[in-house]
Amino acid sequence: MQRVTVLCVGKLKEKFYTDAAAEYVKRLQRYCKLDVVELPEYRLPDDPNETQIAQGLAHEADAIRKAIPKGAWLCVLTPEGRLLSSEELASALHGVKTGGRSAVCFLIGSSFGIDPAIKAMADLKLSMSKMTFPHHLARVMALEQLYRCLLYTSPSPRDPKTSR
């Protein structure tokens, strides 16, 4: 069973996001060993300047580096990433699994993004859309897409052919 880590900078606060994320976590646990890890978002002043944002992202990058599982295939969700269909993402994940890597890590940055040095580490930079979404919604969307990918590329846990 593949190990999947979803690293999220920042905590979910709204109940509707936490409920939706919890539902997908429950569903995903049938198909993978899932860890959702919340890292603290660096506190910035109101209306921060570019230097303050860069310092905050660098601080978050230290925590992110420590939290990425060793040897994991890293997918960073970022607006400038590649646009993939659900089928293309499923194919990429299936390729990782059949290529011998047992750990996958998806990273969702804070509201100010992700440090460029972390983006440079990514095996895949993925964009969810040309539209802008709050990073809390991005977590739910990423979990849903992971569920969709694993659902269609894994044998069904209820399939009698695979439960022998």
Side-chain angles (χ1 to χ4, degrees):
M1 188 174 274
Q2 194 167 35
R3 193 168 131 226
V4 177
T5 302
V6 179
L7 290 179
C8 310
V9 181
K11 293 186 180 279
L12 290 182
K13 295 173 187 158
E14 295 86 356
K15 184 175 178 357
F16 55 90
Y17 287 138
T18 58
D19 289 348
E23 177 61 27
Y24 283 108
V25 166
K26 182 176 84 175
R27 291 181 187 189
L28 276 161
Q29 289 174 340
R30 297 171 55 198
Y31 299 98
C32 66
K33 293 179 183 176
L34 178 69
D35 286 312
V36 177
V37 178
E38 289 184 337
L39 300 173
E41 187 168 4
Y42 187 79
R43 293 192 50 85
L44 291 170
D46 291 339
D47 196 26
N49 62 40
E50 291 299 316
T51 302
Q52 291 169 320
I53 292 170
Q55 289 171 339
L57 294 178
H59 181 80
E60 290 170 356
D62 292 336
I64 290 168
R65 276 188 204 89
K66 292 174 187 169
I68 296 170
K70 277 208 184 301
W73 180 84
L74 178 61
C75 178
V76 173
L77 279 68
T78 181
E80 68 273 9
R82 289 180 52 204
L83 289 169
L84 297 179
S85 68
S86 297
E87 293 83 1
E88 290 168 328
L89 180 58
S91 178
L93 287 176
H94 186 70
V96 171
K97 186 176 184 177
T98 59
R101 291 174 87 174
S102 60
V104 171
C105 181
F106 283 79
L107 172 62
I108 302 166
S110 65
S111 53
F112 286 98
I114 299 169
D115 187 85
I118 298 294
K119 289 180 187 179
M121 296 169 51
D123 293 290
L124 173 65
K125 294 179 197 94
L126 179 65
S127 173
M128 299 188 101
S129 172
K130 290 183 178 184
M131 293 184 272
T132 302
F133 298 105
H135 65 283
H136 298 311
L137 179 58
R139 182 186 311 193
V140 175
M141 293 168 62
L143 289 168
E144 190 280 335
Q145 285 301 300
L146 276 169
Y147 172 69
R148 186 176 302 271
C149 290
L150 295 175
L151 178 68
Y152 294 117
T153 61
S154 298
S156 170
R158 293 193 184 125
D159 186 347
K161 296 177 197 162
T162 62
S163 60
R164 292 183 188 156

